[in-house]
Amino acid sequence: MPTHALLELREISKVFGETVALAPTSLTISQGSFVAIVGPSGCGKSTLFNVIAGLLKPDAGEVRLGDSVVTGATGHVGYMLQKDLLVPWRTVIDNITMAARLTRRVTAEDREEARRVAEQYGLGEFLRHYPSALSGGMRQRVAFMRTLVTHQQLLLLDEPFGALDAQTRLEMQQWLLQVWRDTDRTVLFITHDVDESIFLSDRVIVMSPRPGRILADFANPLPRPRTVADLTNPTFIELKSRVMSLLHGSNA
Amino acid sequence: MPTHALLELREISKVFGETVALAPTSLTISQGSFVAIVGPSGCGKSTLFNVIAGLLKPDAGEVRLGDSVVTGATGHVGYMLQKDLLVPWRTVIDNITMAARLTRRVTAEDREEARRVAEQYGLGEFLRHYPSALSGGMRQRVAFMRTLVTHQQLLLLDEPFGALDAQTRLEMQQWLLQVWRDTDRTVLFITHDVDESIFLSDRVIVMSPRPGRILADFANPLPRPRTVADLTNPTFIELKSRVMSLLHGSNA
Amino acid sequence: MKRGLLFNLVVPLVSLGLLLLVWQAIVVVFNVAPYVAPRPLEAIQSVTGNWSILWPLILGTVRETVYGFFCGAALGLLLGVAMAKIPFVQQLFYPVVLVSQAVPIIALAAPLVLILGFSITPKVVIVAWIVFFPVTVNVLDGLNHVDQDLVSLARVYGASRWRTFVLIEIPATSSPLFSGLKIGAMYAVTGAIIGELAAGDGNSLALYQEHANANLNTAAVYGTTIVMTIIGIAWFLLVVGVEIWATPWQRRTVARRGLRHRGRGGARLLDGANIGARST
Amino acid sequence: MKRGLLFNLVVPLVSLGLLLLVWQAIVVVFNVAPYVAPRPLEAIQSVTGNWSILWPLILGTVRETVYGFFCGAALGLLLGVAMAKIPFVQQLFYPVVLVSQAVPIIALAAPLVLILGFSITPKVVIVAWIVFFPVTVNVLDGLNHVDQDLVSLARVYGASRWRTFVLIEIPATSSPLFSGLKIGAMYAVTGAIIGELAAGDGNSLALYQEHANANLNTAAVYGTTIVMTIIGIAWFLLVVGVEIWATPWQRRTVARRGLRHRGRGGARLLDGANIGARST
Amino acid sequence: SGAFASGASLKPVTFAYDFPGPDFELIPLVVAQDQGYFKAQGLNVTVKFPPDTSTTTKMLTTNAAQFGFITTTDMGVAVNAGAPVLSVANYSMSNNWALFAKPGTSLSAAALHTTLKGKKIFSYGDTWTESMLPFVLKYAHLTNSQVKIITDPTGNDLTDLLAGRVNFSTSTTNYEIAGFDGSKVKGHLSELLGTAAGAPNIPIWVYAVTKSYAAANPSTVKAFLAAVKLGTEWAVKNPTKAASEFDKAYPRSGYTNAYNLTGWRLTVPFLTNSSGQYFTQTNAQWSTLAHALKSISLISKVSPPSAYYTNKYQPKG
Ligand SMILES: Nc1ncnc2c1ncn2[C@@H]1O[C@H](COP(=O)(O)OP(=O)(O)OP(=O)(O)O)[C@@H](O)[C@H]1O
Ligand SMILES: Nc1ncnc2c1ncn2[C@@H]1O[C@H](COP(=O)(O)OP(=O)(O)OP(=O)(O)O)[C@@H](O)[C@H]1O
Ligand SMILES: [Mg+2]
Ligand SMILES: [Mg+2]
């Protein structure tokens, strides 16, 4: 498995009032990997992301990115949620360059890059459209491009396709894999969909119910590139049944 | 397979302006069966339901329920959508008895039955709560109970669990199967999730892209009762791969 | 909630108290003559000291305000429903409704009195004229935004149009309806005062004020202004109270007699206005 | 869209035309004396025939309306933002803001003139007094409903509070902001007229009307009322126009110079009010 | 002061009218301005209009204006309220307040009881009408409850009268008849002067200043009154020209020239007393007024006449 640690969480924990959202958790993510996180609702997955992104200060522990400690600081990750959070008053190209606009002046290069990315990944015709004109899948693609052009090495995707229907979702997954291959980023990907977690990742992390901690950390042996056929491939099914039995316990 | 035809569609078709939403389609559903319908977005699944429910008049064809023709008439099915459509200003019990209230006076028996159903299926404590106090899964359960107490033999469920996260969804599927077994209804169930369609049904109908028509009609050999383990059962996987290859064509 | 309620009753009172303090300070510091502007206490005493005279006048103003409010609310509701249900009515009436509000109401009072005579009617009409507008606009908007899937569902169940309207569409519009009513309530008393000035039978709060003014009894002028404002605020708060009572699902988890409360208010335009009924 | 536009321009005009017809019919059928109510044409002629006299007065009223509108809008925006951002300010000011609107504005004009003198200032203040309220309430409500996940996302990107406010929160509030502005615009002219009655240099549209009334020149009274109403409507429509221009995403698929349009309006309280800009 | 003052050294003073807008009773001031009488007296006069009729007094006491035009009732009320104001000259010398009825209605003092009984009488709610009406009702042997008094400060009595909403209106003859002429209704309004039916014949309008201003600027007050007197006399002699000057000064007032001219002509007869004098005030007028105001409880105490007025700033002759 990969060689160089990009992100390192050391004994992160977080409590909200009486709710222990995150039990002390450590995790190391290597550069360029695609790591999926699954776990029951309310187990602290989003809390984990918020801590990494700097939106929440952990009660204890340290977040290291590359060589620096970034606990509680912002501005060092790309972030994307189930809600696309596109702003309706900006065109597609302006939504893609939004991170730049929020921190500095948008340059011609920013726009050029946004255009290039949009064209490359099938939204070239929609640059001047407003988000309201796009389908759910297209909107999530724009949201992802916006995340991409932040040039952050680490991308946190929190159920990005959770609101899409199954077929669109499958298309988006394939699209995401293509983009990831092209752009050499490190992805942390939260999902409730076990198929999705396996289809996309190098590594599947399963979390326990609240208070959240890491139950298991599976390497995903499925070769790349992957196609829809892999969803019924025995290697896939085997990993799926292991993950499901952890998630659903005696039910399985 | 079942013996007595409850619903019969004869060469139903529907055009919206220039969009052929539904090519002439015939379908027979036997009493007590659980039939899943899958198909790409926009292929006319919801249109089909609207025609059956009487919300839309088909351009041609006939809808027969039992011995009578009900084309264009309403009041003869239970109907449920992805949106739970609970009314926020009524308590759970009043939401469950809503169909009665909409057509006549709500009787003590109606309320008694609603209470019984709610208690039986795990919502007994929430009878006097407003929907805003419930989780997504609980809301869908209330919506389903509301559909149930209409005492319609035929229930049309249009992606009822589409908005729920994967784990809640799995719970709801098991719950639905239990209720269905208890109450002896006929269910038509639209979904985009192939796993779901197979996990639930006796029969999986696959529709083509627009203009929608029936591509295939698979009998589902999976024995009942079903558990989460069935999701990785070879019979299941085989049917899944057949359905997926029809849906995703050469991709698979 | 307990601290919240106290807090939410105390802070408004404190801020209104501050207002009186500022007023007092200005009058004292600039040594303003009492016939130019009174001190707050004088203004209040001019009301309490003449309570037996003022009380029937206040009742009269309240009566006009309330009647006008109900007429306006009813008209507004009716018009809103008609416009939402019949596109032609909307096309035809929307411009008229808009124009009705752009007409300076004070230019309207005199002709109304001429047409309607010196009774309570023109006052009620003026109040209704002011009140109906926010109600119509909000009801129209509210009805246009009722989830059509919910309406379809009612049809699938075999509900009549009327039952669907009463059981689904009207309750679904309660929040904008109450917003409209609250705005209307706040401005209703202004309408009543304009009407009283134009259609006096010699016995009204507005005329009392006018006479006090002619009399250089500035304390009474300010005092009656305070009274008018209180009538407006009281009526507004009453509507807020009715809303809280009538829409328990906006802030409760469990139907009444339950214990837990939710912090989310549900009103729109005047969302923040539920003084004393929000938890912070 | 073409048919829609035509339709949406024609129907309001037809309905206003009908209004004039009804008026004419009443006057003719009941044989109303000219000093009681003029015929529509007489009213209009009383304006066109005195255009050179009226024009500067109209300009004056427009000036007061516009200045007051901008002051009120600015104040409303500021107050709305301050109240949304600083809970203490909201607690302190909300009651005052409410009370300010319950005060009968006509009772306020005279003291204002005494304090502010006989300049344009008291008129501007009265207009602003009316305009700021819907703006404040809508901005407050709008800002309170900005998606907090969007704000968090901006923070993740490292945006400052100020940039987040300008680039995210303000545009996200544009729809309620414009609703507030439209309501304010509609009532602004009424404020100007009240102010003119109270703070004249003897040269104003309101006084002209008052004097025409004393003269029993009822045609001029009705004529000037029409003019005032037109000022109000025109200003309202201008704000609607600015909204359409400033929020193209509400009705367009593609940024300007694109071709396709969408039918959805975005404004709230006055959603239905975008005459001439909706397709049905 | 006076004759040799140049433009630069003109003393600026402000005059507050009694009504929110200008009308023909302002003609003496307009003429004094137009004919240069103020300038000749070294004054630069600005005219302001109050938000309502009772604010003129407040403008004087807050020094927003130095000279004011108010009714004698306003004066009585102001003194009663402790406002340090002083009437320095009468505007009109007698009481032209009257009852009016539609053309053709018989309206005589002798038959007043039966004429008014049970009828609707319009009042603007102004203190003058409120203090005169009791005299007339008493004269007609009527109590307040035997008539219906309609009080409508924002309405128009003539419209209501002509439209039959009320049976009688009350106003001053100059305003009422000038207004009626605008209605183009045939005939003459029936009219009964209040003084013919028990109302005291006392002046309605006066020029006022504050006591402190008069004490500190006696020559300015004198100069002002001198110029106004010249203006009045000129306007009495040249009513047509005077009305045109008003039109020129206030071209956008909303009044027609006919209204202004008629109104002014109807005002002229009331400007002088029986011996042809302008301005002169008497103890009798003020004590009659004060007692009348006291009798309707508008004021709480009757002050000596000198508390209300002085003639000492008036021009000689
Ligand atoms: N700001 C907050 N204040 C209080 N409690 C919070 C807050 N954010 C999260 N929690 C609580 O912390 C726990 C973990 O929440 P979190 O959102 O991280 O779960 P999750 O694993 O992302 O769940 P889901 O799969 O439903 O998104 C939950 O019980 C939640 O209610
Ligand atoms: N009322 C309508 N007016 C016009 N076109 C409609 C209407 N309802 C549906 N359509 C069109 O008919 C087609 C079929 O729509 P339908 O909603 O039945 O698809 P669906 O299979 O349910 O899709 P999804 O999986 O996205 O729910 C679509 O192209 C849709 O745009
Ligand atoms: Mg989460
Ligand atoms: Mg569908």
Side-chain angles (χ1 to χ4, degrees):
Chain A
M1 290 247 303
T3 47
H4 171 225
L6 174 69
L7 176 76
E8 201 181 339
L9 304 183
R10 295 190 183 159
E11 299 290 312
I12 297 291
S13 68
K14 183 75 197 172
V15 178
F16 292 111
E18 289 164 17
T19 311
V20 181
L22 205 58
T25 299
S26 296
L27 183 63
T28 305
I29 305 292
S30 25
Q31 174 111 32
S33 61
F34 196 124
V35 178
I37 302 178
V38 295
S41 205
C43 75
K45 303 181 294 296
S46 299
T47 302
L48 189 72
F49 269 24
N50 287 338
V51 167
I52 297 172
L55 282 174
L56 285 176
K57 245 186 112 59
D59 295 326
E62 206 178 78
V63 181
R64 300 184 72 97
L65 190 74
D67 295 328
S68 45
V69 177
V70 295
T71 325
T74 58
H76 55 265
V77 298
Y79 202 128
M80 180 179 166
L81 300 180
Q82 174 167 338
K83 286 193 280 186
D84 55 63
L85 295 178
L86 300 185
V87 295
W89 57 88
R90 296 270 183 196
T91 56
V92 164
I93 187 164
D94 287 345
N95 263 288
I96 296 178
T97 56
M98 194 174 88
R101 182 170 301 103
L102 278 165
T103 47
R104 53 180 173 83
R105 186 172 271 284
V106 176
T107 63
E109 289 85 62
D110 290 326
R111 301 181 62 81
E112 193 36 57
E113 181 188 16
R115 181 172 299 113
R116 196 172 41 70
V117 171
E119 272 161 11
Q120 188 170 355
Y121 298 115
L123 282 169
E125 287 170 47
F126 295 92
L127 281 172
R128 301 188 63 237
H129 281 57
Y130 291 110
S132 56
L134 307 184
S135 71
M138 286 157 89
R139 292 173 66 101
Q140 283 305 88
R141 268 188 256 187
V142 174
F144 186 71
M145 289 173 196
R146 181 178 61 188
T147 314
L148 212 58
V149 300
T150 57
H151 298 282
Q152 303 291 359
Q153 180 45 235
L154 179 63
L155 306 185
L156 307 180
L157 312 186
D158 192 347
E159 301 184 53
F161 308 143
L164 303 177
D165 70 67
Q167 265 119 252
T168 312
R169 195 165 180 157
L170 209 51
E171 286 163 28
M172 289 296 292
Q173 289 165 0
Q174 293 168 283
W175 179 86
L176 175 63
L177 284 183
Q178 182 198 346
V179 180
W180 175 68
R181 201 174 48 218
D182 293 351
T183 56
D184 188 37
R185 304 295 172 89
T186 308
V187 176
L188 262 173
F189 190 104
I190 292 176
T191 178
H192 278 106
D193 182 337
V194 178
D195 278 11
E196 184 172 70
S197 72
I198 299 171
F199 185 71
L200 294 175
S201 70
D202 302 321
R203 200 174 146 198
V204 180
I205 291 171
V206 183
M207 288 180 69
S208 73
R210 202 172 47 227
R213 42 191 192 84
I214 294 176
L215 271 189
D217 189 342
F218 297 104
N220 183 348
L222 211 62
R224 295 185 189 270
R226 297 167 185 171
T227 67
V228 177
D230 286 318
L231 291 174
T232 46
N233 166 321
T235 318
F236 188 102
I237 301 296
E238 209 239 293
L239 183 50
K240 179 173 177 178
S241 95
R242 285 167 69 191
V243 172
M244 301 260 309
S245 73
L246 272 173
L247 282 177
H248 298 281
S250 55
N251 246 11
Chain B
M1 288 245 306
T3 48
H4 172 226
L6 173 70
L7 177 75
E8 200 181 341
L9 304 182
R10 295 190 183 158
E11 298 291 313
I12 298 290
S13 68
K14 183 75 197 172
V15 178
F16 292 111
E18 289 163 18
T19 310
V20 182
L22 206 57
T25 298
S26 296
L27 183 64
T28 306
I29 306 291
S30 26
Q31 173 110 33
S33 61
F34 197 124
V35 179
I37 301 179
V38 295
S41 205
C43 75
K45 303 181 294 297
S46 299
T47 303
L48 188 72
F49 269 25
N50 287 338
V51 167
I52 297 171
L55 283 173
L56 286 176
K57 245 186 112 59
D59 296 327
E62 207 177 78
V63 180
R64 299 184 73 97
L65 190 74
D67 295 328
S68 44
V69 176
V70 294
T71 325
T74 58
H76 54 265
V77 299
Y79 201 126
M80 181 179 166
L81 300 180
Q82 174 166 338
K83 286 193 279 186
D84 55 62
L85 295 179
L86 300 186
V87 295
W89 57 88
R90 295 270 183 196
T91 57
V92 164
I93 187 164
D94 287 344
N95 264 289
I96 296 178
T97 56
M98 194 174 87
R101 182 172 300 103
L102 278 166
T103 47
R104 55 181 172 81
R105 185 172 272 286
V106 177
T107 63
E109 289 86 63
D110 290 325
R111 300 181 62 81
E112 192 36 55
E113 182 187 14
R115 181 171 298 112
R116 198 174 38 71
V117 172
E119 272 162 9
Q120 188 171 356
Y121 298 116
L123 282 169
E125 287 170 47
F126 295 93
L127 280 172
R128 302 188 63 238
H129 281 57
Y130 291 109
S132 57
L134 307 184
S135 70
M138 286 156 91
R139 292 173 65 101
Q140 282 306 86
R141 268 188 255 188
V142 174
F144 185 72
M145 289 173 196
R146 180 179 62 186
T147 313
L148 212 57
V149 300
T150 57
H151 298 282
Q152 302 293 359
Q153 180 45 235
L154 179 62
L155 307 184
L156 307 180
L157 312 185
D158 191 347
E159 301 184 53
F161 307 144
L164 304 178
D165 70 67
Q167 265 118 256
T168 312
R169 195 164 180 159
L170 209 51
E171 286 164 27
M172 289 297 292
Q173 289 164 1
Q174 294 168 283
W175 180 85
L176 175 62
L177 284 183
Q178 182 198 347
V179 180
W180 175 67
R181 202 174 46 220
D182 293 352
T183 57
D184 188 35
R185 304 296 171 87
T186 309
V187 175
L188 261 173
F189 190 105
I190 293 177
T191 180
H192 278 107
D193 183 337
V194 178
D195 277 13
E196 184 172 70
S197 73
I198 299 170
F199 186 70
L200 295 175
S201 71
D202 301 322
R203 200 175 144 195
V204 180
I205 291 172
V206 183
M207 288 181 69
S208 73
R210 203 171 45 227
R213 44 194 188 81
I214 294 176
L215 270 189
D217 189 340
F218 297 104
N220 183 348
L222 212 63
R224 296 185 189 269
R226 296 168 186 169
T227 67
V228 177
D230 285 318
L231 291 173
T232 45
N233 166 321
T235 317
F236 188 103
I237 301 297
E238 209 240 293
L239 182 52
K240 178 174 178 178
S241 94
R242 285 167 69 191
V243 172
M244 301 253 324
S245 73
L246 272 173
L247 282 176
H248 299 280
S250 54
N251 247 12
Chain C
M1 188 68 192
K2 217 164 183 179
R3 192 197 76 96
L5 186 66
L6 195 72
F7 191 61
N8 282 296
L9 278 174
V10 167
V11 173
L13 289 179
V14 165
S15 81
L16 295 178
L18 279 180
L19 218 62
L20 294 184
L21 261 181
V22 170
W23 169 6
Q24 169 90 15
I26 290 174
V27 172
V28 169
V29 169
F30 294 96
N31 194 20
V32 179
Y35 50 84
V36 172
R39 277 136 216 251
L41 204 63
E42 290 167 357
I44 291 162
Q45 280 168 345
S46 81
V47 174
T48 51
N50 294 293
W51 191 246
S52 59
I53 294 173
L54 281 172
W55 179 235
L57 303 182
I58 292 173
L59 275 186
T61 304
V62 168
R63 191 175 307 120
E64 294 146 18
T65 306
V66 171
Y67 289 0
F69 178 84
F70 281 117
C71 292
L75 175 68
L77 190 61
L78 234 83
L79 209 58
V81 169
M83 282 165 72
K85 289 288 161 191
I86 315 167
F88 179 70
V89 172
Q90 170 165 0
Q91 289 282 343
L92 207 64
F93 275 87
Y94 214 108
V96 178
V97 165
L98 278 183
V99 168
S100 79
Q101 299 303 299
V103 178
I105 189 86
I106 41 169
L108 220 106
L112 272 181
V113 171
L114 202 63
I115 296 167
L116 301 170
F118 296 97
S119 54
I120 195 178
T121 322
K123 299 165 207 165
V124 169
V125 168
I126 291 172
V127 174
W129 189 290
I130 291 176
V131 170
F132 94 93
F133 177 75
V135 177
T136 295
V137 168
N138 277 0
V139 166
L140 173 60
D141 193 49
L143 285 177
N144 282 341
H145 285 91
V146 172
D147 191 335
Q148 285 311 300
D149 286 333
L150 196 50
V151 174
S152 292
L153 188 67
R155 271 189 60 208
V156 168
Y157 286 157
S160 64
R161 269 176 154 260
W162 174 247
R163 275 188 180 250
T164 307
F165 179 68
V166 171
L167 291 169
I168 303 287
E169 294 178 276
I170 283 295
T173 308
S174 66
S175 184
L177 170 65
F178 273 107
S179 285
L181 291 176
K182 282 185 281 183
I183 298 176
M186 200 160 38
Y187 291 118
V189 75
T190 301
I193 297 301
I194 292 175
E196 284 186 353
L197 279 179
D201 49 0
N203 222 357
S204 68
L205 199 56
L207 278 181
Y208 181 92
Q209 183 178 57
E210 177 109 344
H211 283 151
N213 192 32
N215 218 348
L216 283 195
N217 183 357
T218 317
V221 174
Y222 278 68
T224 44
T225 302
I226 293 176
V227 168
M228 294 167 183
T229 307
I230 289 176
I231 296 175
I233 291 285
W235 187 241
F236 169 82
L237 290 178
L238 204 76
V239 176
V240 169
V242 170
E243 180 182 22
I244 291 174
W245 174 82
T247 62
W249 65 91
Q250 302 279 20
R251 49 201 86 235
R252 283 169 170 278
T253 314
V254 181
R256 236 177 297 269
R257 284 202 222 116
L259 285 166
R260 285 192 299 152
H261 292 253
R262 297 178 68 237
R264 264 184 61 221
R268 294 205 318 177
L269 186 65
L270 277 168
D271 204 8
N274 304 328
I275 300 166
R278 305 186 103 207
S279 53
T280 313
Chain D
M1 188 70 190
K2 218 164 183 180
R3 192 197 76 97
L5 186 66
L6 195 71
F7 191 62
N8 283 296
L9 279 173
V10 167
V11 172
L13 289 178
V14 165
S15 81
L16 294 178
L18 278 179
L19 217 62
L20 294 184
L21 261 180
V22 170
W23 171 4
Q24 170 89 15
I26 290 174
V27 172
V28 169
V29 169
F30 293 97
N31 194 20
V32 178
Y35 55 83
V36 172
R39 277 137 216 251
L41 203 63
E42 291 167 355
I44 291 162
Q45 280 169 345
S46 81
V47 174
T48 51
N50 295 293
W51 190 247
S52 60
I53 290 173
L54 282 173
W55 178 234
L57 300 181
I58 293 173
L59 275 186
T61 305
V62 169
R63 190 175 308 121
E64 294 144 20
T65 306
V66 172
Y67 289 0
F69 178 84
F70 281 116
C71 293
L75 175 68
L77 189 60
L78 233 85
L79 210 58
V81 169
M83 281 164 72
K85 290 287 161 192
I86 315 168
F88 180 69
V89 171
Q90 169 165 0
Q91 290 281 342
L92 207 63
F93 275 86
Y94 215 107
V96 178
V97 165
L98 277 183
V99 167
S100 79
Q101 299 304 297
V103 178
I105 188 89
I106 42 169
L108 222 106
L112 273 182
V113 172
L114 209 58
I115 295 167
L116 300 171
F118 293 84
S119 52
I120 195 177
T121 323
K123 299 165 208 165
V124 169
V125 168
I126 291 173
V127 175
W129 189 291
I130 292 177
V131 170
F132 93 94
F133 178 74
V135 177
T136 295
V137 169
N138 277 359
V139 166
L140 174 61
D141 194 49
L143 285 176
N144 282 342
H145 285 90
V146 173
D147 190 336
Q148 284 311 301
D149 286 333
L150 196 51
V151 173
S152 293
L153 188 66
R155 270 189 62 209
V156 168
Y157 287 157
S160 64
R161 269 175 153 260
W162 173 247
R163 275 188 179 252
T164 307
F165 179 68
V166 171
L167 290 169
I168 302 287
E169 293 178 278
I170 283 295
T173 308
S174 66
S175 184
L177 170 64
F178 272 106
S179 284
L181 291 176
K182 283 185 281 185
I183 298 175
M186 199 160 39
Y187 291 117
V189 74
T190 301
I193 296 301
I194 292 175
E196 284 187 353
L197 280 177
D201 52 357
N203 221 359
S204 69
L205 197 57
L207 279 179
Y208 181 94
Q209 179 179 61
E210 177 125 331
H211 294 168
N213 191 33
N215 236 345
L216 285 197
N217 183 358
T218 318
V221 174
Y222 277 68
T224 44
T225 302
I226 293 176
V227 168
M228 293 167 184
T229 307
I230 289 176
I231 296 176
I233 291 286
W235 187 240
F236 170 81
L237 290 178
L238 204 78
V239 176
V240 170
V242 170
E243 180 182 23
I244 291 175
W245 173 84
T247 62
W249 67 90
Q250 301 279 19
R251 50 199 86 235
R252 284 169 170 277
T253 314
V254 181
R256 235 177 297 269
R257 284 202 221 117
L259 286 168
R260 287 193 298 151
H261 293 253
R262 298 179 66 237
R264 264 184 61 221
R268 296 205 318 176
L269 187 63
L270 276 169
D271 204 8
N274 304 326
I275 299 165
R278 305 186 104 208
S279 53
T280 313
Chain E
S1 70
F4 303 107
S6 72
S9 66
L10 289 182
K11 179 164 185 176
V13 294
T14 297
F15 172 82
Y17 196 49
D18 72 329
F19 196 74
D23 60 43
F24 55 77
E25 286 198 351
L26 195 59
I27 280 178
L29 260 286
V30 169
V31 169
Q33 188 90 280
D34 244 45
Q35 298 294 321
Y37 301 144
F38 282 136
K39 206 172 170 188
Q41 294 288 344
L43 297 178
N44 175 15
V45 179
T46 308
V47 179
K48 282 184 180 171
F49 301 93
D52 57 52
T53 50
S54 59
T55 301
T56 306
T57 320
K58 296 177 194 171
M59 288 169 65
L60 290 176
T61 59
T62 55
N63 204 32
Q66 290 74 50
F67 294 90
F69 184 71
I70 60 179
T71 63
T72 46
T73 43
D74 288 333
M75 192 68 214
V77 162
V79 168
N80 191 63
V85 285
L86 194 63
S87 166
V88 289
N90 282 339
Y91 174 86
S92 62
M93 302 297 276
S94 49
N95 185 356
N96 64 334
W97 178 84
L99 280 179
F100 300 92
K102 273 192 196 178
T105 314
S106 144
L107 192 55
S108 73
L112 209 50
H113 181 84
T114 45
T115 314
L116 293 186
K117 191 173 177 189
K119 296 289 168 44
K120 284 186 189 155
I121 305 173
F122 182 102
S123 160
Y124 280 110
D126 55 296
T127 44
W128 191 262
T129 302
E130 304 243 316
S131 47
M132 290 304 128
L133 208 47
F135 288 107
V136 173
L137 292 179
K138 194 172 158 207
Y139 179 88
H141 302 291
L142 288 166
T143 62
N144 261 332
S145 57
Q146 286 176 301
V147 293
K148 179 137 182 60
I149 296 169
I150 301 288
T151 314
D152 185 357
T154 63
N156 184 331
D157 62 332
L158 267 173
T159 318
D160 288 332
L161 182 71
L162 295 175
R165 286 285 173 203
V166 295
N167 307 98
F168 301 96
S169 66
T170 58
S171 184
T172 57
T173 53
N174 50 347
Y175 285 105
E176 193 76 347
I177 292 170
F180 175 73
D181 284 357
S183 74
K184 302 185 182 74
V185 173
K186 286 200 198 74
H188 295 283
L189 273 185
S190 296
E191 159 189 336
L192 177 66
L193 268 178
T195 50
N201 191 9
I202 49 175
I204 303 181
W205 292 280
V206 296
Y207 295 102
V209 296
T210 61
K211 285 177 176 158
S212 55
Y213 186 80
N217 306 279
S219 57
T220 311
V221 179
K222 279 183 187 162
F224 179 84
L225 288 181
V228 170
K229 190 176 178 197
L230 289 175
T232 310
E233 286 168 344
W234 191 92
V236 168
K237 271 192 224 113
N238 309 289
T240 315
K241 282 188 199 157
S244 312
E245 285 193 4
F246 177 86
D247 287 349
K248 254 183 270 151
Y250 297 100
R252 307 180 200 291
S253 72
Y255 291 119
T256 59
N257 177 261
Y259 178 86
N260 298 329
L261 182 56
T262 310
W264 178 243
R265 280 191 201 281
L266 290 165
T267 308
V268 167
F270 298 98
L271 295 175
T272 48
N273 64 14
S274 52
S275 33
Q277 286 177 308
Y278 292 100
F279 286 3
T280 315
Q281 308 173 76
T282 62
N283 282 345
Q285 80 175 75
W286 286 107
S287 82
T288 308
L289 175 88
H291 282 102
L293 296 183
K294 175 82 166 54
S295 73
I296 58 163
S297 304
L298 200 61
I299 62 176
S300 54
K301 63 172 197 305
V302 173
S303 303
S306 62
Y308 301 105
Y309 88 101
T310 176
N311 283 333
K312 76 174 185 192
Y313 300 105
Q314 292 180 10
K316 302 285 176 284

